[in-house]
Amino acid sequence: MTERERSILTQLVQEPPKFDEPMRHHTTLRVGGPADALVTVHTLDELQKVVRFAQERDLPLMVLGEGSNLIVRDGGIRGIVLRLSGELCRVHYDTQEVEAGGGAYFPHLLVKAAQRGLSGLECCTGVPGTVGGILISNAGTAEEFIGDRVVRVRVLTYDGTLREFARDEIRFGYRSSNLKELGAVIVGATFALHPDDPKAIMERIHRRWRYRWATQPVNQPCAGCIFKNPPGERAGRLIELAGLKGTRIGDAQVSTLHANFIVNLGQATAKDVLALAELMRKTVLEKFGIALEYEVQIVGEDG
Ligand code: EPU
């Protein structure tokens, strides 16, 4: 990105962009090289200006949610990395629906909906993402998905126009959706919920939290499950059966708790993490003839 582009970008938004910002400070796995520009937008107007600017200048643009399902390579990200804040994180609770900004932090939304006696989001208990990130990856458990709760999604297209898609216009699959093809940024979404006793909903949430805490390395830097579950199988089970739990490359380690997680023991680089992930894939393919597919998003350039 040129100096001129940096200077224009700075004038488009109220919060000064961070240039050459190390992405390891913004990903839960704590790896990743610098982004040319990390831009936080607080209003729809700012967001539209930045998206149009990126389009005019042909600058790559990606949205960073919580960085919890993301591996950024060590060479970092060219172009603009966007973070949604302010009015783009607002949530409005109704009796049967919740309308949430794309940048809203999902764990807060889940608990606040439960306190208001609104059930339906529990399948994503413990997913530390934004509403936009959760929708793009159709997060959930292995059986239930957030896509099932969607009424409509509002996106900003690549030319900066606001568009709304109803549930039946969006394709949700297992840990996938076509939302990135429909627009550049998820601005907000409406979920259909149903009334229930707040105590009963919170109990279900607590049960799921306890399960995650017992089975996943939630207190270590990680990026969630690395691979999708193959049809009828569990990636974690296959990686464990392949004897890889605890295997290390540098400071990247296959979690000793859940084999489909890679944890950063301190100084891991994206190169270590990706070499370990490839070792997991290769070993499972050799032992079981099953080709694992990545679930985590991998972006950026090699270091
Ligand atoms: N298993 C093993 N070894 C392991 C891990 C799991 O044998 O190291 C076995 C377990 O014993 C269990 C089975 O595999 O019988 C399933 O394990 P788990 O309940 O942990 O579920 P999962 O299929 O591994 C899925 C989602 C998780 C979600 C959990 C809990 C995928 C790829 N993963 O994991 O989502 O949290 O269910 O509902 O679909 C994510 O998307 O990042 C993620 C963590």
Side-chain angles (χ1 to χ4, degrees):
M1 190 180 293
T2 63
E3 282 310 315
R4 169 121 185 88
E5 285 164 344
R6 289 176 184 223
S7 138
I8 297 174
L9 202 48
T10 305
Q11 286 156 29
L12 292 180
V13 287
Q14 46 176 302
E15 183 174 330
K18 290 182 170 168
F19 295 111
D20 307 313
E21 175 68 9
M23 289 303 292
R24 67 174 182 282
H25 297 159
H26 303 280
T27 57
T28 56
L29 185 58
R30 305 267 173 268
V31 302
D36 286 348
L38 178 63
V39 182
T40 304
V41 288
H42 292 260
T43 62
L44 180 60
D45 181 54
E46 281 190 334
L47 175 64
Q48 281 174 311
K49 283 183 185 152
V50 175
V51 169
R52 286 186 184 133
F53 173 69
Q55 173 84 2
E56 276 162 29
R57 297 274 169 156
D58 210 13
L59 289 169
L61 179 125
M62 69 164 270
V63 183
L64 175 71
E66 288 297 315
S68 58
N69 188 38
L70 185 66
I71 300 175
V72 179
R73 294 191 184 90
D74 300 313
I77 304 173
R78 302 294 71 80
I80 298 170
V81 177
L82 265 178
R83 225 169 19 183
L84 309 187
S85 186
E87 69 177 38
L88 300 161
C89 299
R90 276 201 203 126
V91 180
H92 177 73
Y93 300 88
D94 215 328
T95 43
Q96 305 277 334
E97 285 188 351
V98 170
E99 203 182 309
Y105 184 52
F106 189 85
H108 289 168
L109 170 64
L110 170 72
V111 170
K112 285 188 181 156
Q115 288 166 345
R116 285 170 168 78
L118 290 170
S119 169
L121 301 172
E122 295 92 301
C123 67
C124 286
T125 299
V127 180
T130 58
V131 163
I134 284 222
L135 285 169
I136 282 176
S137 58
N138 193 17
T141 65
E143 296 89 16
E144 311 162 73
F145 313 104
I146 195 68
D148 298 335
R149 298 286 165 231
V150 165
V151 181
R152 65 192 91 89
V153 178
R154 286 170 296 288
V155 304
L156 202 63
T157 60
Y158 289 87
D159 62 9
T161 316
L162 205 53
R163 283 198 61 188
E164 190 167 277
F165 292 95
R167 168 69 187 86
D168 58 7
E169 294 174 279
I170 306 166
R171 258 196 338 268
F172 285 108
Y174 165 61
R175 287 296 187 279
S176 71
S177 74
N178 64 339
L179 282 164
K180 275 195 179 168
E181 292 150 40
L182 299 179
V185 183
I186 295 181
V187 172
T190 304
F191 300 100
L193 303 182
H194 52 271
D196 195 354
D197 172 25
K199 257 181 81 181
I201 307 171
M202 279 314 293
E203 263 165 37
R204 286 198 293 275
I205 291 175
H206 280 288
R207 201 175 57 234
R208 289 178 192 250
W209 269 337
R210 281 195 297 275
Y211 181 73
R212 276 199 181 236
W213 274 87
T215 59
Q216 299 179 3
V218 291
N219 56 357
Q220 285 179 287
C222 66
C225 285
I226 298 290
F227 299 105
K228 294 181 185 178
N229 283 332
E233 249 306 346
R234 303 292 183 140
R237 195 182 87 89
L238 295 173
I239 299 163
E240 175 167 355
L241 286 176
L244 290 169
K245 263 188 169 172
T247 302
R248 274 176 76 165
I249 293 183
D251 263 356
Q253 183 184 44
V254 179
S255 165
T256 51
L257 199 54
H258 194 303
N260 196 11
F261 283 66
I262 291 178
V263 296
N264 181 350
L265 297 176
Q267 304 301 317
T269 60
K271 195 168 172 228
D272 298 331
V273 171
L274 293 171
L276 187 58
E278 275 308 302
L279 176 69
M280 291 150 88
R281 233 161 67 93
K282 194 169 142 259
T283 313
V284 166
L285 184 62
E286 277 167 14
K287 294 215 173 189
F288 306 106
I290 295 176
L292 295 176
E293 259 181 62
Y294 281 95
E295 193 266 338
V296 69
Q297 271 198 68
I298 303 169
V299 300
E301 298 181 347
D302 286 326

